[in-house]
Amino acid sequence: MKRLRGKVALITGGNSGIGLAAAQLFAAEGAKLIITGRRQDALDEAVRQIGHDAIGIQGDVADIEHHAHVAKTVQDRFGALDVYMANAGVITIAHSAGVTADEYDAQFNVNTRGVFFGVQSITPVMRDGGSIILTSSLAATKVLQGHAVYAGTKAAITAFARSWALELRERRIRVNVLSPGPVDTSILSKLGIPEAERPAFLQTMADLIPAGRLGEPDELARAALFLASADSTFVNGIELNVDGGMLLT
Ligand code: NAP
């Protein structure tokens, strides 16, 4: 039995990395998929890879009108939504002393504001009993060098999730957080770390993980499927760490 049979799922940042892996798995498990992202070429390629009549909507999660457009498209095309995975995110690693206001806003606008207004716009078109998944980060809990702003963006959404789990209780919509450790995706090439220093940085990360390696996008996708599906009907308001044990070190 497919675990998302007959369900409609939307994943922001579904054209790459963890979001794309989750979209592929959700579609294979019977869901109709809508993905979003800014790059149209990456969206087109992701829609092709996902198959199963997935659709892509181009836009920026920091733009509130984009969320209104997404919600209307969901309603027009599918009637209602069962699973919303707020996954789009960006990261820049920098010591706080050198962070400009623009750099600060760039991360908060996508990782925090984008999640808040995405959920605000989409909940009216969600079916009662649905599932909302917010992709946070291990960095929200574990202190990592140069991650102060990024950690703040992600810690905020964990707080949102707890409030929303209660605010949406009458509608039986569950809200959970998926918290990845370092995962091998293209975000690792956008950290702001010089190319020459990246291998050493990634090795340092791997050494901190009891599993001895970075995670794979599919390992996060399987955890997201758990939170999206009826396998987790009594799981609400949690933060699910999928980090190979890195939180322990
Ligand atoms: P990724 O491959 O770079 O994917 C990021 C996704 O977010 C892309 O689809 C990107 O699409 C989208 N995105 C970024 N800014 C956007 C914006 N303003 N509007 C709409 N879409 C936007 O990285 P990933 O590793 O899969 O990251 C997914 C999530 O996991 C992020 O929230 C990230 O913070 C979190 N995370 C990742 C790791 C890791 O080590 N990989 C660890 C902890 C947490 P476009 O570029 O086309 O806009």
Side-chain angles (χ1 to χ4, degrees), residues 15-16 18 38-39 60-61 87 150 154 183 185-186 190:
N15 63 9
S16 177
I18 294 167
R38 287 167 304 180
R39 291 165 301 137
D60 186 338
V61 294
N87 167 80
Y150 178 72
K154 295 295 192 178
V183 180
T185 71
S186 61
K190 307 172 199 162

Side-chain angles (χ1 to χ4, degrees), residues 22-35:
Q24 289 176 294
L25 183 58
F26 287 11
E29 289 288 341
K32 292 185 171 63
L33 256 296
I34 305 119
I35 59 166

Side-chain angles (χ1 to χ4, degrees), residues 11-248:
I11 302 179
T12 71
N15 63 9
S16 177
I18 294 167
L20 176 55
Q24 289 176 294
L25 183 58
F26 287 11
E29 289 288 341
K32 292 185 171 63
L33 256 296
I34 305 119
I35 59 166
T36 72
R38 287 167 304 180
R39 291 165 301 137
Q40 187 64 53
D41 56 340
L43 270 177
D44 294 342
E45 174 56 20
V47 162
R48 194 191 62 72
Q49 287 179 32
I50 297 162
H52 301 274
D53 297 325
I55 65 167
I57 305 175
Q58 193 266 339
D60 186 338
V61 294
D63 171 11
I64 293 181
E65 284 176 14
H66 165 66
H67 295 298
H69 170 62
V70 167
K72 185 169 185 329
T73 306
V74 166
Q75 197 162 34
D76 292 348
R77 296 281 288 265
F78 301 101
L81 188 71
D82 299 286
V83 177
Y84 183 72
M85 182 169 172
N87 167 80
V90 291
I91 177 172
T92 302
I93 293 180
H95 192 286
S96 298
V99 174
T100 66
D102 285 348
E103 287 164 352
Y104 176 97
D105 288 346
Q107 289 192 73
F108 268 88
N109 283 344
V110 176
N111 296 359
T112 312
R113 185 180 198 257
V115 171
F116 186 91
F117 289 102
V119 169
Q120 185 191 66
S121 295
I122 210 71
T123 43
V125 301
M126 283 191 76
R127 244 183 285 279
D128 289 0
S131 170
I132 295 174
I133 303 160
L134 312 181
T135 308
S136 177
S137 170
L138 169 77
T141 312
K142 184 179 178 70
V143 179
L144 298 170
Q145 209 179 336
H147 283 64
V149 175
Y150 178 72
T153 68
K154 295 295 192 178
I157 67 172
T158 302
F160 294 163
R162 293 198 190 105
S163 291
W164 292 337
L166 292 183
E167 288 178 1
L168 296 169
R169 63 189 290 176
E170 306 300 334
R171 300 187 52 204
R172 294 175 293 102
I173 294 175
R174 298 179 295 113
V175 187
N176 291 295
V177 171
L178 178 66
S179 199
V183 180
D184 188 8
T185 71
S186 61
I187 211 168
L188 299 178
S189 61
K190 307 172 199 162
L191 298 170
I193 295 176
E195 182 98 30
E197 293 170 27
R198 207 178 306 138
F201 173 81
L202 296 180
Q203 189 56 53
T204 305
M205 287 288 172
D207 290 344
L208 284 170
I209 303 172
R213 62 173 176 82
L214 270 58
E216 294 296 330
D218 185 56
E219 295 177 301
L220 274 297
R222 282 184 271 130
L225 175 62
F226 167 71
L227 295 174
S229 71
D231 287 345
S232 61
T233 43
F234 206 49
V235 177
N236 197 5
I238 69 152
E239 182 164 9
L240 179 57
N241 297 312
V242 183
D243 62 0
M246 187 172 169
L247 192 57
L248 307 172

